[in-house]
Amino acid sequence: MTADQNQDGFTRPRYFTGQMLTANDFQQEQEYHNGKRRLLNRCLFGARVACGLGILFEKGTLIVNPGLALDCAGNEIYLPGPFSGPLPDKDGLYFLQLHYTETESAPVPDLYSETEASGTAFSRIVEGFELVWSAEDSMADHPWANGAWKTCGETHPLTIARVVVRSGGVELDEKFAARINAGRTGWSG
């Protein structure tokens, strides 16, 4: 028995000599490879910190070390170097959340514009991250098993730390950190 109908599966371009190619063909190829990789990330690894991303607090500043995490959509969230940022300014329980971002960049002249709007188009997509403090755990309704959260397939922040902020300082929830660190490897850059 074979299934040759797509039914929301994966379709990839089939190139041949003499074929006229458009941006859509290359976009579909990127979507195919990205979709397959993200599916494998979700199914094989779940949402998790893969390596690095150690958390430190120095002189009222948050420091997150380099590392890699996977979100519920299977996106790789890469921090290439240490990141520093502010701590919450009010006392309370907070969750540090890492969010995958994409930003269009490198505008170039658009010689063949379908919209005729601006005459330029972005030629690159920069994958990045955003770190956000939240009073809510974005992963609270996701089951935890074997060092990772079960994925929902949606792009949303990944909780990487739970902290208590008091006037006397910041305290990392060590029990939460131990669970997040289970199965995580060190950073070798």
Side-chain angles (χ1 to χ4, degrees), residues 12-162:
R12 69 179 187 269
R14 180 184 172 277
Y15 300 116
F16 56 88
T17 302
Q19 179 180 7
M20 182 176 162
L21 299 174
T22 66
N24 185 52
D25 294 307
F26 295 109
Q27 183 65 35
Q28 186 177 29
E29 183 173 45
Q30 287 185 3
E31 289 171 3
Y32 170 80
H33 288 291
N34 286 339
K36 283 278 189 136
R37 190 185 70 250
R38 289 172 180 149
L39 178 63
L40 285 171
N41 285 344
R42 288 193 320 263
C43 293
L44 294 177
F45 308 116
R48 62 180 296 163
V49 172
C51 66
L53 302 181
I55 310 284
L56 303 169
F57 304 105
E58 289 183 5
K59 300 176 185 169
T61 301
L62 162 74
I63 298 172
V64 181
N65 287 315
L68 177 72
L70 303 172
D71 70 9
C72 273
N75 294 308
E76 298 99 353
I77 309 171
Y78 174 57
L79 278 71
F83 175 84
S84 62
L87 295 172
D89 54 4
K90 295 180 183 173
D91 289 359
L93 173 65
Y94 293 94
F95 298 90
L96 181 59
Q97 299 180 340
L98 183 60
H99 194 124
Y100 173 81
T101 62
E102 289 186 351
T103 305
E104 293 180 332
S105 70
V108 297
D110 183 356
L111 302 177
Y112 176 77
S113 175
E114 293 178 5
T115 62
E116 300 288 332
S118 68
T120 62
F122 293 106
S123 64
R124 301 289 184 266
I125 296 175
V126 178
E127 294 181 354
F129 67 91
E130 181 180 19
L131 281 163
V132 179
W133 289 108
S134 176
E136 301 292 323
D137 181 358
S138 63
M139 303 302 291
D141 61 347
H142 293 64
W144 178 266
N146 301 320
W149 284 284
K150 287 188 88 61
T151 62
C152 64
E154 300 296 321
T155 299
H156 61 79
L158 177 74
T159 300
I160 62 170
R162 178 179 157 166

